[in-house]
Amino acid sequence: MASSQLFIILSVLAIFVPSTLATDYVVGDDKGWTINFDYQAWAQGKLFYVGDNLVFNYPKGAHTVLKVNGTGFQQCAAPLDSVPLTSGKDVINLATPGRKWYICGVAQHCELGNQKLLITVLPSSSPSAPSPSHSSWPSATAGPGPSASAATATVGTRFALMMLLTIGFLGMLMA
């Protein structure tokens, strides 16, 4: 009986713990998705994992969010079949690891306003992976981004939450 309860508890943990550990990143923090903002500096020091979400906040109708490839990012051009996100509170789930590129498709917001974002998404199974490098994307403004300690705190918080959930479920099993 105890082994079947343990199996059920571990199954529930395997399903729900990854979603509770996901982080929502508000792109640009309080500035949101806008022109003339250094998104490279914003992303610097952050660790993005599979399962995390990017939240693009902007006044509806003022901007769009387009997912592009590396060439589209450099040229500020989206493929013709791209469907822009336009809600003003667009949430993108980071479902796969690798480099991700996003631009604004309004007027020349990408070209002249530097409204574009490049991140690297790490596999969810490697929280100790090194911080991604964005050195190939030139910065529009100087200045340091958030410290690496903020990203380390996020990983530590994820681990602590997972451990608390596991201990709680095991405590229920033993009762």
Side-chain angles (χ1 to χ4, degrees):
M1 179 74 174
S3 65
S4 65
Q5 287 178 336
L6 179 60
F7 177 75
I8 291 170
I9 290 170
L10 291 176
S11 297
V12 169
L13 280 174
I15 294 168
F16 290 109
V17 168
S19 65
T20 62
L21 299 179
T23 300
D24 288 345
Y25 289 96
V26 177
V27 176
D29 296 323
D30 61 337
K31 298 290 184 191
W33 184 235
T34 188
I35 58 172
N36 300 320
F37 184 84
D38 188 351
Y39 290 101
Q40 177 188 359
W42 173 82
Q44 186 177 0
K46 290 178 174 61
L47 295 175
F48 302 95
Y49 291 99
V50 168
D52 289 346
N53 296 306
L54 294 178
V55 180
F56 291 83
N57 290 327
Y58 56 92
K60 188 174 181 173
H63 303 289
T64 63
V65 179
L66 290 161
K67 184 174 182 184
V68 296
N69 61 21
T71 302
F73 179 84
Q74 292 296 331
Q75 297 175 355
C76 286
L80 295 177
D81 61 348
S82 292
V83 178
L85 301 176
T86 61
S87 75
K89 186 167 176 62
D90 304 319
V91 178
I92 297 176
N93 179 262
L94 302 174
T96 58
R99 295 186 104 183
K100 310 295 179 192
W101 301 269
Y102 303 95
I103 65 171
C104 178
V106 172
Q108 292 187 320
H109 290 189
C110 179
E111 298 95 327
L112 302 177
N114 199 38
Q115 193 172 0
K116 55 186 183 175
L117 170 66
L118 162 64
I119 63 168
T120 300
V121 179
L122 301 170
S124 60
S125 62
S126 62
S128 61
S131 176
S133 169
H134 300 288
S135 60
S136 63
W137 182 28
S139 176
T141 61
S147 69
S149 63
T152 303
T154 300
V155 172
T157 302
R158 289 177 178 196
F159 180 76
L161 180 60
M162 184 176 72
M163 292 307 299
L164 285 172
L165 288 170
T166 302
I167 291 167
F169 279 120
L170 290 176
M172 287 174 23
L173 176 66
M174 300 301 167

